Amino acid sequence: MPQMLVATRKGLFTLEESSGGWRITRTSFLAEPVTNVLHDARDNTLYASLNHGHFGNKLQRSSDMGTTWEEVAVPAYPQKPDDEPDVINPMSGRAIPWKLVLLWELVAGGADQPGVLWAGTLPGGLFRSNDRGASWELMRGLWDRPERREWFGGGYDEPGIHSVCVDPRNSDHLTVGISCGGAWQSRDGGQTWTPRSSGMFAEYMPPERREDPIIQDPHRIVQCPGQPDCFWTQHHNGVFRSTDNCATWEHTPAVQPSDFGFGVAVHPQDGNRAWTVPALKDESRIPVDGKVVVAHTRDGGANWDVQRSGLPQEHAYDLTFRHALAIDESGSRLAFGTTTGSLFTTGDHGQNWQTVTTHLPPVYAVHFVRGS
Amino acid sequence: MPTVSFTRNLQRHLPAPTTAATGTTVAEVLAAVFAEHDQLGSYILDEHGAVRPHVVIFINGRAIRDRTRLSDAVAPDDDVYVMQALSGG
C-alpha cells in the first residue's frame, strides 16, 4: 500500500493510499517541529529530524515504520580552533558559529553503502554518518573551503545545505546545493569539492557578481535517478537544468505562471520531465492571482504547461517549501504540502490533483516511502 | 547540596527530575546531574558545553553571567533553575 510521510511544524504524519484516497494513519511527535523525514529503503528505517527550538535539534530513528522511535546523534560541529579566524556573515556582520543551527536535509547513501547517511545543515556543514546516525563527521573538505567566507543565508541568517544528491552510478559522487553558496560536487565521497554553478545567475547581487558560482541561491537541486547526468534546480532567480552532470546550467525562462518557487521534482526515469510549484517572486511569496498551480515540462524546459485541475483557484495563499514537493519511484504519483497546511496529491503526473486535507500544520517536507 | 530543577517543558521530551547535585560551579552541578541523566545535557547545552541561546539558568532567581564556561559559583544551599525563554508558535 503506497505510503507517504509529511513533516510539519507540529508533528510527523504517515499517510496510506487505498481505494478511498490518501488517509492519515499515524501521527508521531505531535506538537513538535519536524524539519525533515527520510525513509531509508535499504534497511526500511525511518529518520525524523526535530528542532526543539530551546532544546536544540534532535534526530529520531524508527526500525518499525514509526511504531517506536529512539533518539540517535545529531551532527555536532567541532570546536573552532583558537588560531582559526572567524568567518563573518557578510549580511549580518556576525561570526558564523561552529554549531548546529538546523538539521535541514537528510539523505540515504548509495545502495553499496549500507548505514551511510548524509546530513545538510545550517550554518553550512555537510555531515556523514557511517552507522545509521549513531555518530556524524563534518566534511572538512567543504567546510574548510575559502569560498565559504562568501556564502550567506537566504531566508535564514546563516547559509545552509538543503540538497544532497548521491549519484546512483557511483556513491562517492555527490552534489550539494547551498543557499546561498551555489552547487558543489565531490567525486571522492566528500573529501574534495568543486563549485558547479556555471550558468546560474543572481539578480540579487551587484552586476559584477551576478554569475559568481559561489554565491548562487539554488533553492532546491534534484538529480534524475534514471539519467543521472540530468539535474534540475529551482533557483531564487528561475529554473535551471543541467544535462552534463552540473558542468553547465541552462536557464529555462518559459516557466508559467512564474519561475520563482522553492521545490522542484524530476521524473525518476525521464530527465526532460519536471515539476515546480510557482509563486510570485520574490518578496511576495504567494501564488500568482491566488491560484495554486503546478508547472510541468516534458521537453527539458522548452515548454511548460500549468496544472490546475483539482487545485484551489480562488483566494488560495499556499506556499510550498523546498522539501515539500515529492515524486514517487514510479513517476506518476506526486504530492506537495503547503504553509497553510494543505496537502495535494496526484496519481497521473499531475493531470488531476486531489486535496487530501487543508488542516495540517505548516508543511516542511513530503516524502514517499519507497517500495510501499 | 545544591538543588537543580528544570522547566516542566522539558518533560515533554525526556525525564528531567529535580535533583540534589554536588558541585561548586554551575558546570560541576550540571555535570553531576547529566551523569545520572545522560541525554538531558544535549537539551540544555550545545555541542561545546555552552548554554543554548533560549535557555536561561538561574541561581536563587538570578541569571548566571557565564553562559559559555558555566563558571558562576554555586553554594551548598543554592537553588539552580534551568528555564526557557518564551517563544511564539
Side-chain angles (χ1 to χ4, degrees):
Chain A
M1 187 175 294
Q3 285 186 305
M4 175 172 31
L5 302 158
V6 180
T8 80
R9 185 171 169 179
K10 298 285 185 182
L12 174 67
F13 299 86
T14 304
L15 292 92
E16 292 184 2
E17 187 183 34
S18 60
S19 56
W22 288 93
R23 284 180 51 250
I24 296 172
T25 54
R26 185 190 299 281
T27 60
S28 308
F29 312 111
L30 208 53
E32 303 304 334
V34 182
T35 57
N36 213 333
V37 60
L38 168 70
H39 170 246
D40 187 344
R42 299 169 303 175
D43 58 5
N44 213 31
T45 300
L46 299 183
Y47 296 87
S49 54
L50 279 65
N51 183 1
H52 288 312
H54 300 81
F55 306 123
N57 291 270
K58 309 295 173 203
L59 183 61
Q60 296 275 346
R61 181 175 71 193
S62 175
S63 300
D64 53 16
M65 290 306 289
T67 306
T68 60
W69 295 85
E70 60 177 326
E71 186 178 323
V72 291
V74 284
Y77 284 73
Q79 190 84 41
K80 185 176 83 67
D82 289 339
D83 58 353
E84 174 117 2
D86 277 326
V87 169
I88 303 299
N89 183 337
M91 296 300 165
S92 69
R94 291 194 295 269
I96 300 285
W98 287 47
K99 293 181 180 181
L100 179 63
V101 174
L102 182 67
L103 179 41
W104 208 9
E105 167 76 321
L106 202 54
V107 168
D112 59 335
Q113 297 177 328
V116 170
L117 302 174
W118 295 97
T121 72
L122 272 70
L126 176 71
F127 289 80
R128 174 183 173 132
S129 173
N130 293 320
D131 50 17
R132 303 172 74 233
S135 64
W136 294 89
E137 180 192 0
L138 175 65
M139 295 289 100
R140 294 297 295 259
L142 185 58
W143 182 248
D144 291 338
R145 290 287 300 215
E147 294 91 339
R148 189 168 68 83
R149 299 184 163 279
E150 309 293 329
W151 299 355
F152 53 88
Y156 290 101
D157 287 342
E158 288 89 10
I161 296 177
H162 47 66
S163 300
V164 181
C165 306
V166 179
D167 194 314
R169 298 166 297 191
N170 185 332
S171 301
D172 284 338
H173 291 193
L174 304 165
T175 305
V176 303
I178 304 167
S179 287
C180 302
W184 290 74
Q185 275 188 330
S186 170
R187 299 180 70 82
D188 55 10
Q191 300 304 308
T192 61
W193 293 84
T194 308
R196 301 282 271 180
S197 318
S198 180
M200 295 183 188
F201 55 81
E203 304 290 6
Y204 46 85
M205 292 297 283
E208 61 272 23
R209 298 199 63 188
R210 182 177 180 270
E211 294 172 28
D212 186 340
I214 61 167
I215 50 74
Q216 297 299 320
D217 185 10
H219 286 171
R220 180 72 171 152
I221 299 177
V222 293
Q223 182 176 21
C224 177
Q227 296 179 329
D229 281 339
C230 185
F231 289 76
W232 286 85
T233 291
Q234 173 67 67
H235 181 286
H236 193 90
N237 287 116
V239 177
F240 294 82
R241 183 178 73 128
S242 174
T243 55
D244 55 8
N245 195 27
C246 304
T248 58
W249 290 89
E250 181 184 0
H251 185 219
T252 64
V255 191
Q256 294 298 324
S258 159
D259 64 358
F260 182 85
F262 291 93
V264 58
V266 60
H267 190 281
Q269 284 89 42
D270 181 358
N272 283 326
R273 195 164 192 185
W275 293 259
T276 68
V277 188
L280 265 181
K281 72 170 62 174
D282 65 21
E283 288 81 14
S284 305
R285 306 188 178 191
I286 53 174
V288 178
D289 297 329
K291 304 175 194 297
V292 174
V293 300
V294 174
H296 167 236
T297 180
R298 293 169 178 267
D299 58 7
N303 295 283
W304 293 78
D305 57 281
V306 178
Q307 300 177 335
R308 60 177 82 244
S309 172
L311 296 171
Q313 297 299 296
E314 191 173 55
H315 285 295
Y317 302 103
D318 302 63
L319 183 67
T320 301
F321 286 151
R322 68 196 74 209
H323 297 121
L325 168 64
I327 189 164
D328 79 345
E329 57 197 316
S330 78
S332 59
R333 281 190 194 83
L334 289 94
F336 65 100
T338 76
T339 51
T340 64
S342 299
L343 179 67
F344 305 106
T345 61
T346 176
D348 57 10
H349 309 96
Q351 292 180 58
N352 298 283
W353 290 86
Q354 292 83 42
T355 302
V356 178
T357 172
T358 57
H359 297 294
L360 288 175
V363 174
Y364 292 145
V366 175
H367 188 88
F368 283 102
V369 172
R370 290 177 63 86
S372 63
Chain B
M1 204 180 291
T3 303
V4 185
S5 310
F6 296 90
T7 167
R8 291 169 57 89
N9 290 326
L10 261 175
Q11 309 282 350
R12 287 209 327 229
H13 309 303
L14 74 178
T18 298
T19 309
T22 57
T24 59
T25 64
V26 175
E28 291 176 8
V29 168
L30 288 182
V33 176
F34 299 156
E36 300 294 317
H37 305 277
D38 58 344
Q39 274 196 335
L40 191 52
S42 76
Y43 285 72
I44 308 300
L45 308 177
D46 67 24
E47 57 258 68
H48 305 309
V51 182
R52 289 192 177 279
H54 302 292
V55 172
V56 188
I57 300 177
F58 295 92
I59 302 171
N60 301 333
R62 294 171 65 170
I64 64 169
R65 285 181 300 177
D66 181 357
R67 294 172 53 88
T68 304
R69 293 185 301 121
L70 314 180
S71 61
D72 290 49
V74 179
D77 56 351
D78 279 351
D79 290 317
V80 178
Y81 293 96
V82 179
M83 310 299 286
Q84 69 172 60
L86 293 177
S87 68

